[in-house]
Amino acid sequence: MATDYFQVSPDSPPKLKKIEDLNNTPPPEPFEVKKYKFREHCFNEMRASYRKYRSRLHEKYKKYETDEVRMQHIPEGLSAEDWLQMLQLFASPEFKALSLKNANNRSNQKVIACTGPTPFAQTEYDMIDEETGKLPPASEVWMAQHSTLNANNERKWVDCSSENYYHEIRRTEEVMPVDENVNDNEDVLRVVFGARSGYVRGKGTGYKSTAKGMTNNQNWKIEKLEAQVVDLTAKLADQGKQNLSLTQRFEKLMEMMENERHESSSRSGQREDALTSEDTRGEEYTRDECSSKANRANKKRSAPHKQVSNSKRKNRELREE
């Protein structure tokens, strides 16, 4: 529904367009890649929204001691059956273990961002120079994400760990070789924090890290191929539906043809039976007629013979007398 409602523009945002014109980034992403990324972004946002919603349900679950009392306080917009399933989930040993692990991780979290709901990528985009299209260094982006300015225009870090990481990022930027045609921010952050499961700290959720030892351009080619795979998979699914429809039509035609052959064979058999019956009656009539003719001929041949026999008998009687 989201991909149908929103129109993915084939053009890049103004600032990124400026960077592309200055050849400071890999070639512009094809339209198919943009649509693929937007689709993945929708799924990531829905996953995050569901996790937050389930977390609120868990907080309500912990407010009451028993399931009987919890069932008397069903969250708004949730059916009794769904709330009962959530109670069973929250009471399972697997969920309790995962909840305890996440709680420990949050308690050990030492770096806190101050950008609120603004994504890290948006913060970095806002800091791009509109005239030159120059990307901000990773240290400046990190500072904007984890510190604020007070009334006296003094820098105030949210926590000590963020300030320490800032200085480490600065030192890394000073010793790393600079390539003006490539955005090195990711490489700097990977050196300082490392990359785990494709996630780079300082880039925000949803950002996919490049593979180890690969350039941004190589990673872009891989993303392009992934988008082509998704597009071809969708086309194959559509083709499969069309093939299924053609197969069904073919089977229907074959069935109609087989029925027509069967009916034609039945009609042909009936005609042959009728002809055979007529031939049989004709043969019987011919045999009867021939038999009658033969009898009449025999009678004609036997009549003179009788006359001859009678005359001989009379002559014999006369001689005897």
Side-chain angles (χ1 to χ4, degrees), residues 139-310:
S139 56
E140 294 184 10
V141 178
W142 180 267
M143 181 186 296
Q145 295 168 346
H146 299 86
S147 67
T148 58
L149 293 175
N150 58 20
N152 298 327
N153 204 27
E154 297 175 345
R155 180 68 56 182
K156 182 179 180 181
W157 292 93
V158 179
D159 53 77
C160 297
S161 297
S162 296
E163 184 177 7
N164 295 333
Y165 279 127
Y166 167 76
H167 294 298
E168 187 173 351
I169 293 172
R170 286 292 305 274
R171 289 192 295 268
T172 304
E173 290 175 337
E174 293 175 357
V175 299
M176 283 189 65
V178 178
D179 187 352
E180 296 180 354
N181 295 323
V182 178
N183 178 16
D184 293 323
N185 287 357
E186 177 186 332
D187 297 332
V188 172
L189 295 174
R190 286 179 61 176
V191 171
V192 177
F193 300 107
R196 183 181 60 184
S197 300
Y199 173 73
V200 179
R201 293 182 66 179
K203 284 291 186 178
T205 58
Y207 180 85
K208 295 294 184 66
S209 169
T210 60
K212 184 176 180 181
M214 297 180 64
T215 65
N216 292 336
N217 190 49
Q218 290 173 325
N219 189 67
W220 165 78
K221 290 180 179 179
I222 292 176
E223 292 177 349
K224 178 181 177 181
L225 292 174
E226 290 177 348
Q228 291 177 356
V229 170
V230 173
D231 184 57
L232 287 176
T233 302
K235 290 182 178 179
L236 287 175
D238 294 338
Q239 188 65 35
K241 294 179 181 179
Q242 295 178 6
N243 292 341
L244 178 61
S245 177
L246 291 175
T247 302
Q248 293 174 347
R249 290 177 57 189
F250 174 77
E251 292 177 351
K252 183 66 175 179
L253 289 174
M254 291 295 294
E255 182 181 358
M256 293 172 61
M257 186 173 64
E258 190 65 27
N259 293 337
E260 184 64 26
R261 285 178 176 173
H262 180 70
E263 294 178 1
S264 178
S265 177
S266 299
R267 289 193 297 268
S268 223
Q270 293 173 359
R271 286 196 299 268
E272 290 178 359
D273 293 341
L275 292 174
T276 302
S277 178
E278 292 179 359
D279 292 343
T280 303
R281 288 196 298 271
E283 290 177 359
E284 292 177 352
Y285 173 76
T286 303
R287 286 196 298 270
D288 294 342
E289 185 179 5
C290 291
S291 178
S292 299
K293 289 181 179 180
N295 291 334
R296 288 195 296 270
N298 291 332
K299 288 179 179 179
K300 289 179 181 180
R301 286 193 298 270
S302 63
H305 177 71
K306 289 182 180 180
Q307 293 176 2
V308 173
S309 298
N310 292 333

Side-chain angles (χ1 to χ4, degrees), residues 127-140:
M127 297 176 65
I128 295 176
D129 192 307
E130 295 183 0
E131 297 296 330
T132 64
K134 184 178 180 181
L135 295 167
S139 56
E140 294 184 10

Side-chain angles (χ1 to χ4, degrees), residues 39-70:
R39 178 177 177 274
E40 292 300 307
H41 171 73
C42 291
F43 279 117
N44 290 334
E45 288 298 316
M46 286 187 283
R47 293 188 189 101
S49 297
Y50 174 72
R51 287 195 297 269
K52 293 177 182 178
Y53 175 68
R54 194 172 69 174
S55 177
R56 293 194 298 269
L57 294 180
H58 190 224
E59 292 298 324
K60 190 175 185 65
Y61 169 86
K62 294 187 293 185
K63 288 175 59 176
Y64 307 103
E65 296 295 332
T66 63
D67 288 348
E68 289 76 9
V69 180
R70 296 181 182 114

